[in-house]
Amino acid sequence: MVSIKDVASRAGVSVGTVSNVLNRPNLVSEMTRSRVRAAINELGFVPNDAARHLRRGRGRTLGLVVLDVANPFFTDIAKGVDDTTGPAGMAVIFCNSNGDIAREGRYLDLLEEQRVQGVLITPVGDDNARLDRLRSRGILVVVLDRPAPSRDFCSVSVDDRLGGELAVRHLVEAGHEQIAFVGGPWRLEQVSDRYHGGVKALEEAGLGADNLRRLDTPSPTVAAGRDAVSRILGLPRSARPTAIFCANDLLALGVLQGLTRQQIRVPDDIALVGYDDIEFAAAAAVPLTSVRQPRQQLGRSAAELILDEANNPDGHQHRQVVFEPELVVRESSQHSFRRD
């Protein structure tokens, strides 16, 4: 590889002069600049931007750490991030924690070693020590898809309690009183918030929290949704829920598959509501009612916050942006129910 020393030798100048031509051309005369640029072209020299930025103490990369790369919700977020950071000349390192705290920690260590300028993260748990450490090392942090742990961080999230309210209120208004909540793992704040929002809707309707039966899952995946069906159908008929609210659409699609295999009709026998409104929701065999989140807008807003802090460190104000969800009603819940 051609080095900066080779360029200096060919142009008959010092290495410092070549560096100035690359980084501070106004310090070099036009005649010398022309000679150095001619040498660069003749030798095919490519400046090492990464090394130059690292020497200055900051890179042109950001880390994006998400819970599940297989979930279209997070790939849509990633697109929103990339659409915003790309034009700003930033590259994004996409990391999949897979909902594993230890794996998340290894990725954060790697990103710190790479001296990324910032990290956008959907944390697995609620231990903020790692995020505080990143901040102490000069790495910018934006919390994504959940509220910030304090006002010392920027965050972009959706009001998940409101989303849970919308879903369960819709089912109650359709006549359902016994509803199952399928979701997990419980350590995810988004899961617990959606459940508690559902409980609030029941209480407002004069029903108790017991009317929303919790069925915890080890992961928010299609397979976990399928597995939950056998637990639901194993209940006595008198206690079996007439509607199911799932913590995300992947779980709901798994539940739909499991019910269909058991010849349980949706929504005639059991109504179903998901969360996120990924593209597959509308394309399911029975189009899925879902609580819509502005997925790409979440990514764009998070990227805008981190770029603003990077470019305007003195004037930047930390913000906690919260979007409101929207219920999108489709065939999976469009059936008025009355238990005989």
Side-chain angles (χ1 to χ4, degrees):
M1 293 179 62
V2 178
S3 70
I4 194 170
K5 290 182 179 179
D6 297 326
V7 174
S9 178
R10 174 65 65 92
V13 298
S14 68
V15 170
T17 297
V18 177
S19 178
N20 281 336
V21 170
L22 294 172
N23 302 302
R24 295 173 294 276
N26 58 300
L27 300 180
V28 184
S29 69
E30 177 60 36
M31 182 179 297
T32 302
R33 288 203 305 267
S34 298
R35 196 161 71 246
V36 170
R37 286 170 179 158
I40 288 173
N41 292 333
E42 290 169 10
L43 296 174
F45 172 71
V46 178
N48 189 339
D49 282 345
R52 188 164 72 250
H53 282 283
L54 286 177
R55 284 194 296 273
R56 293 175 182 171
R58 58 187 292 184
R60 294 175 63 187
T61 55
L62 299 171
L64 173 61
V65 185
V66 301
L67 292 175
D68 182 9
V69 70
N71 187 338
F73 170 75
F74 288 110
T75 53
D76 285 346
I77 283 180
K79 185 177 188 311
V81 170
D82 187 62
D83 286 348
T84 304
T85 57
M90 304 291 288
V92 179
I93 302 173
F94 195 19
C95 305
N96 177 32
S97 71
N98 205 34
D100 184 296
I101 292 176
R103 182 168 172 164
E104 175 187 86
R106 290 194 295 272
Y107 271 125
L108 292 179
D109 287 342
L110 176 63
L111 293 171
E112 186 176 338
E113 291 170 7
Q114 294 294 316
R115 299 175 72 177
V116 296
Q117 189 165 22
V119 171
L120 305 100
I121 182 171
T122 305
V124 175
D126 55 6
D127 180 4
N128 303 315
R130 292 305 306 268
L131 304 186
D132 290 333
R133 171 178 161 174
L134 291 175
R135 291 283 304 279
S136 70
R137 301 292 177 86
I139 297 174
L140 310 179
V141 176
V142 171
V143 179
L144 186 54
D145 191 37
R146 62 183 286 183
S150 74
R151 293 195 172 274
D152 293 331
F153 290 87
C154 283
S155 66
V156 179
S157 62
V158 172
D159 187 342
D160 283 318
R161 292 204 175 215
L162 175 58
E165 286 182 53
L166 294 174
V168 172
R169 184 180 300 126
H170 166 68
L171 293 171
V172 170
E173 289 174 350
H176 299 280
E177 296 183 359
Q178 295 298 324
I179 302 168
F181 176 81
V182 176
W186 197 248
R187 68 174 178 270
L188 296 179
E189 188 173 324
Q190 299 92 323
V191 173
S192 61
D193 279 352
R194 293 166 194 179
Y195 169 80
H196 286 114
V199 168
K200 180 180 178 183
L202 287 173
E203 291 173 343
E204 289 177 348
L207 301 170
D210 291 344
N211 290 73
L212 187 61
R213 179 189 290 267
R214 257 181 62 184
L215 294 174
D216 294 354
T217 62
S219 61
T221 61
V222 172
R226 283 196 301 264
D227 292 343
V229 170
S230 60
R231 294 157 62 192
I232 293 170
L233 298 184
L235 296 170
R237 259 193 118 67
S238 60
R240 187 179 296 177
T242 62
I244 302 169
F245 169 38
C246 294
N248 76 358
D249 284 343
L250 294 185
L251 285 165
L253 292 170
V255 167
L256 179 60
Q257 289 179 7
L259 293 174
T260 301
R261 289 175 182 176
Q262 295 298 320
Q263 298 183 337
I264 305 296
R265 299 171 301 168
V266 175
D268 299 55
D269 299 323
I270 295 182
L272 181 62
V273 175
Y275 204 106
D276 290 338
D277 196 33
I278 61 176
E279 288 189 14
F280 295 133
V286 179
L288 184 65
T289 294
S290 186
V291 178
R292 175 177 293 166
Q293 301 197 76
R295 304 178 302 278
Q296 291 189 27
Q297 184 59 43
L298 284 170
R300 287 194 294 269
S301 295
E304 288 166 358
L305 288 173
I306 209 163
L307 290 176
D308 181 69
E309 187 170 3
N311 297 324
N312 184 29
D314 296 328
H316 176 78
Q317 297 290 322
H318 292 308
R319 296 175 57 209
Q320 292 76 45
V321 179
V322 181
F323 291 97
E324 286 197 359
E326 172 191 0
L327 181 70
V328 180
V329 179
R330 299 191 181 95
E331 187 178 334
S332 71
S333 66
Q334 286 184 326
H335 177 74
S336 294
F337 176 85
R338 293 290 182 273
R339 188 186 289 277
D340 296 333

